[in-house]
Amino acid sequence: MTAIQDPVSTRAVLAQSAGSSSRASSREASNRVKRTSRVTLAWLATIVFILPIYLAVSNTFKPLKEILGNPLGLPINPTLDNLAKAWNRPDHLIQGGLLNSMLVTGLTIILIIPISSAVSFWISERTPKVKGVLLAIFALGLMIPPQVVLQPIVEILQVLHLDHSYPGLILQNVGGGLMSFAVFVYVGFLRTVPKEIIEAARVDGASEFRTWLTVVFPLVRPATATVAIFIGLWVWNDFLNPVYILGALQGQTITAGIYASLGTYSSDYGQLFGIMFLAAVVPIVGYLAVQREFIAGLMSGAAKG
Amino acid sequence: MSRRTESFRRSLGLAPLAWLAFAMYAVFLVYPLLYSVWQSFTNRSPLRLNTAWVGFDNYTEMFADERFWMSLRLTLIVTVFVTVVSNGIGLLFAMLLNKQTVNYRLMRTLVFIPQVLSGVIVGIIWNSMVTQNGLINVVIRNLGGQGIGWVGTPELATLVVCVVVSWMTIAFCTVVYTASLQSVPAELYEAARMDGAGAISRFRNVTIPMIAPGITISVTLCMITSLKLYDVLAVLTSGGPSNSTKSTAFYVIESAFSTNRFGYASAIAIFLLALTAVLSYITSGLLRRREAHL
């Protein structure tokens, strides 16, 4: 199994034995056929699966005539017109949306990380009974469909005079179900931190706050990465909260803005693909940049959830 | 006593941050939830001056509401379809791509992409394919065929919704199963092979038991995701034709914000929450029990 997983050593072993008998060389040939057919099959499955993405990307760079004449092919006359049309919309959907999304996503992450890591450390230091109760309360947030609390949240924000505002959107991001996720990631990670390290800081007379800031916070960096990546992705992709909290007439986040302006260009596929491309490029580039942490975080987060 | 004051003094520095967290969570999650429960027993609406306690009227109405049953039927169809299909295909994909060469790594990167796209983007991509003048019909017409209204009839539209949601969750399942498979020690397969176990027997007796925790995670999360399905539908079909692709979560939003019936919307929302809790409790319980036995 290991030999198959490592084709270099397989090849080396096979090459060594190749001269010794014709049987070995025929086995090598059959192995190579197997390998090639497996790669081919895997590529076929992959291509079929990501065909929708291919269609969206390749048609972004085609003139409308070509989209309708030859939607499956690669662009014959590649053009940036669709991107330009999307970018130069008079309502500045893309520029405004990207800016608003960065603001909302960035501030949510900046606020939620210290607050949730501090409360997680505080919870970890309680007796098992208190800890159990607190975690059970936080578990609620992992399961509640956002539709259950959305309308009450809109009203609460009205009472606080934060309705139709970015501070309102950001604060409810920080305090809502996302905090549950962050707390579970941090508390889970803190279980793996040796107690001695924290005790040592205590013996030195550091306050809880200092211990958290100088010892715990740097130690839980992998958990912070997981929290930042996933909450960033979810807030960026969130559609329900911005639409109903900011309201349709406000400047929107990119995800909600696209939805709000749907229909105005439903006949113009070129511009539609242009907008989609510009909106999707941020999460995809982000994912490619932190792919390893993304998958590690997904597994560690999921294992605890 | 002095030790207690000492530990109290120490925890003081951190406590304000912890309290801030509890306060925010209380304001933006616990309170809205309780509020929604209370509201579900009232006739609350912004169009009404006075709110009256109506007992279980909203729930009685809900169980007699054909629209509610339609939405629940769609939600359950999509949930079963998506959970079964995306876990099946996700596991097959993970097994097929579970090799460490550059080719396979590239394929994995590509296959994982759909899970970072928002429901809105996924909705637009697929919408551009399945509408009357969408790309699929363009291809069919270019080949001399006749276009099909892929989202024109309730049955076809439901199928399209199932496929599109599965497409998103297949990517997620593939990630989970890939990581699970990579944690299975190769010696186990070697040992099974020595014992004369064939490929199918190795899959049943080695792979499945070893990735059982991954199965629990993947199945439960696919289920929860499908139960609260909303944004893909809003873009892909707008809930049509004739409300056939409005999920229960969709109906909650519509009742709250389009028809302004806060009380009624809350009743449906609380039902959805209870359903999600019960189904995920049963499913993860059943799957965990299997984990323990194996």
Side-chain angles (χ1 to χ4, degrees):
Chain A
M1 190 64 198
T2 33
I4 295 173
Q5 273 182 341
D6 181 359
V8 180
S9 68
T10 313
R11 229 172 289 146
V13 171
L14 290 170
Q16 268 176 6
S17 57
S20 62
S21 77
S22 61
R23 227 170 108 209
S25 80
S26 82
R27 199 185 309 146
E28 183 195 5
S30 107
N31 271 343
R32 193 182 296 147
V33 169
K34 257 191 212 159
R35 262 203 312 270
T36 315
S37 51
R38 178 171 177 156
V39 170
T40 314
L41 179 68
W43 268 117
L44 269 175
T46 304
I47 288 167
V48 168
F49 184 69
I50 60 159
L51 202 60
I53 295 176
Y54 162 77
L55 283 177
V57 173
S58 72
N59 286 315
T60 299
F61 297 98
K62 288 180 197 168
L64 185 61
K65 225 181 185 175
E66 203 179 319
I67 297 178
L68 297 177
N70 179 22
L72 289 179
L74 283 164
I76 300 166
N77 307 302
T79 169
L80 293 176
D81 280 2
N82 297 327
L83 291 177
K85 239 195 281 177
W87 187 260
N88 294 328
R89 279 169 64 100
D91 62 357
H92 299 298
L93 175 77
I94 302 293
Q95 294 90 327
L98 289 176
L99 192 70
N100 293 335
S101 281
M102 277 184 228
L103 206 75
V104 172
T105 309
L107 287 172
T108 301
I109 293 175
I110 287 172
L111 287 173
I112 208 166
I113 283 175
I115 294 176
S116 59
S117 69
V119 76
S120 303
F121 178 51
W122 194 83
I123 291 173
S124 304
E125 300 288 286
R126 298 308 105 186
T127 59
K129 213 173 176 180
V130 176
K131 192 173 158 181
V133 171
L134 291 175
L135 286 181
I137 295 171
F138 272 112
L140 270 178
L142 292 176
M143 205 174 48
I144 292 182
Q147 292 87 357
V148 176
V149 286
L150 178 62
Q151 182 267 318
I153 286 175
V154 170
E155 281 193 61
I156 291 167
L157 290 175
Q158 273 164 9
V159 172
L160 300 172
H161 298 290
L162 288 171
D163 54 311
H164 300 97
S165 78
Y166 282 97
L169 177 62
I170 293 164
L171 285 179
Q172 70 84 35
N173 277 343
V174 174
L178 297 179
M179 188 188 279
S180 294
F181 170 77
V183 165
F184 272 84
V185 171
Y186 277 121
V187 170
F189 193 86
L190 281 166
R191 275 194 203 118
T192 67
V193 173
K195 287 274 167 261
E196 296 79 35
I197 301 179
I198 294 160
E199 284 307 320
R202 287 224 177 89
V203 171
D204 291 345
S207 68
E208 285 293 280
F209 182 78
R210 240 191 117 68
T211 310
W212 167 70
L213 190 69
T214 59
V215 180
V216 176
F217 193 64
L219 268 175
V220 297
R221 213 153 53 196
T224 302
T226 302
V227 169
I229 290 170
F230 283 92
I231 290 189
L233 180 66
W234 291 333
V235 172
W236 187 277
N237 283 346
D238 186 15
F239 147 78
L240 194 62
N241 290 307
V243 164
Y244 288 100
I245 289 172
L246 294 178
L249 297 175
Q250 288 281 315
Q252 276 289 359
T253 63
I254 186 80
T255 308
I258 298 176
Y259 174 74
S261 61
L262 265 181
T264 58
Y265 49 78
S266 50
S267 53
D268 187 350
Y269 271 132
Q271 194 187 140
L272 177 78
F273 284 122
I275 292 174
M276 194 163 60
F277 183 88
L278 291 170
V281 86
V282 175
I284 291 181
V285 167
Y287 154 70
L288 294 177
V290 295
Q291 197 184 354
R292 192 180 301 237
E293 289 80 4
F294 185 88
I295 289 162
L298 192 76
M299 281 320 287
S300 70
K304 275 150 211 144
Chain B
M1 184 64 202
S2 81
R3 199 192 253 168
R4 197 175 287 173
T5 43
E6 167 69 8
S7 84
F8 179 74
R9 187 191 64 78
R10 276 194 176 161
S11 69
L12 212 59
L14 196 61
L17 264 179
W19 290 336
L20 178 64
F22 291 131
M24 291 188 75
Y25 188 70
V27 170
F28 293 114
L29 200 110
V30 179
Y31 182 71
L33 175 64
L34 297 177
Y35 192 88
S36 197
V37 172
W38 167 75
Q39 210 171 227
S40 73
F41 295 106
T42 70
N43 63 1
R44 217 166 157 273
S45 158
L47 310 176
R48 215 186 280 273
L49 271 176
N50 298 306
T51 299
W53 182 267
V54 296
F56 282 93
D57 282 7
N58 286 323
Y59 291 94
T60 323
E61 184 187 339
M62 179 176 86
F63 288 122
D65 181 355
E66 204 184 315
R67 285 280 311 280
F68 165 74
W69 287 111
M70 257 177 85
S71 77
L72 187 61
R73 191 170 148 262
L74 177 88
T75 306
L76 293 177
I77 289 174
V78 173
T79 302
V80 171
F81 185 101
V82 166
T83 308
V84 171
V85 168
S86 56
N87 279 283
I89 295 182
L91 181 54
L92 282 177
F93 244 135
M95 285 166 52
L96 185 62
L97 303 185
N98 187 23
K99 300 235 178 245
Q100 293 310 321
T101 66
V102 178
N103 252 323
Y104 286 100
R105 243 175 272 161
L106 183 59
M107 287 186 253
R108 280 202 296 270
T109 300
L110 291 172
V111 169
F112 294 168
I113 286 179
Q115 67 169 331
V116 300
L117 299 176
S118 67
V120 174
I121 298 281
V122 170
I124 298 177
I125 291 180
W126 282 86
N127 182 273
S128 74
M129 291 164 60
V130 299
T131 49
Q132 197 62 49
N133 293 312
L135 299 183
I136 294 179
N137 280 350
V138 169
V139 172
I140 293 177
R141 285 193 201 113
N142 288 352
L143 294 172
Q146 219 165 15
I148 301 168
W150 295 101
V151 286
T153 66
E155 292 76 22
L156 262 182
T158 304
L159 182 66
V160 167
V161 166
C162 287
V163 169
V164 174
V165 179
S166 301
W167 185 70
M168 290 175 89
T169 46
I170 283 170
F172 168 76
C173 295
T174 310
V175 181
V176 174
Y177 288 130
T178 301
S180 303
L181 286 173
Q182 284 172 356
S183 70
V184 183
E187 296 81 47
L188 279 183
Y189 288 105
E190 213 46 68
R193 204 175 304 211
M194 298 270 224
D195 291 345
I200 293 171
S201 152
R202 284 202 300 273
F203 175 74
R204 269 187 45 193
N205 299 315
V206 180
T207 309
I208 293 290
M210 288 305 288
I211 64 166
I215 298 178
T216 307
I217 295 162
S218 181
V219 168
T220 312
L221 286 179
C222 279
M223 220 173 67
I224 294 179
T225 308
S226 321
L227 284 170
K228 60 184 179 191
L229 187 65
Y230 173 68
D231 43 6
V232 185
L233 300 178
V235 177
L236 184 64
T237 62
S238 316
S242 52
N243 298 324
S244 61
T245 56
K246 279 186 182 153
S247 63
T248 307
F250 199 128
Y251 195 34
V252 172
I253 295 294
E254 200 176 73
S255 305
F257 296 102
S258 304
T259 49
N260 284 307
R261 300 188 60 201
F262 291 175
Y264 191 53
S266 283
I268 304 169
I270 297 303
F271 173 85
L272 182 64
L273 173 59
L275 182 73
T276 309
V278 169
L279 286 183
S280 54
Y281 181 79
I282 293 175
T283 311
S284 66
L286 284 177
L287 292 170
R288 281 234 173 85
R289 201 183 313 153
R290 276 197 53 212
E291 269 175 46
H293 275 284
L294 290 161

